[in-house]
Amino acid sequence: MPMTNFTPEHLLQYLYKETSTKETAAIAEALKHDWTLREKLAVMKTSMERLDQIRETPRTEVVLNVLAYAREKWAEEVE
């Protein structure tokens, strides 16, 4: 698979191990010779690791609003 221009999508698939065997080999080979591609991959990998560490929860007010809305809609359907 003679690919020399890998897009960010290719690198993302490579990181998540979603590339075919041919694509994986081609990207691995390109990474050996292209330092800019290695840098892009490193930035993406760091971003991926940071995203995995984020733990967010909704505010209590938001949860209560959703529950109130659901109760209201359920009451309308029961009537």
Side-chain angles (χ1 to χ4, degrees):
M1 178 174 202
M3 291 178 73
T4 54
N5 295 325
F6 294 104
T7 65
E9 289 79 16
H10 290 117
L11 294 178
L12 193 58
Q13 288 175 327
Y14 179 80
L15 275 175
Y16 282 99
K17 298 178 181 10
E18 295 177 350
T19 50
S20 69
T21 306
K22 271 185 166 180
E23 289 171 321
T24 300
I27 292 170
E29 187 63 27
L31 288 167
K32 291 179 188 177
H33 304 288
D34 187 345
W35 68 270
T36 58
L37 193 62
R38 284 194 304 271
E39 288 294 316
K40 289 177 185 178
L41 184 66
V43 168
M44 291 180 89
K45 188 173 183 179
T46 301
S47 298
M48 185 176 84
E49 290 166 353
R50 287 182 180 172
L51 282 172
D52 288 341
Q53 295 173 357
I54 295 174
R55 300 289 181 247
E56 291 290 326
T57 57
R59 294 188 329 256
T60 303
E61 177 186 1
V62 172
V63 174
L64 292 174
N65 287 340
V66 170
L67 291 173
Y69 178 80
R71 273 192 300 274
E72 181 182 304
K73 285 296 179 184
W74 182 77
E76 288 176 7
E77 289 179 12
V78 172
E79 292 176 355

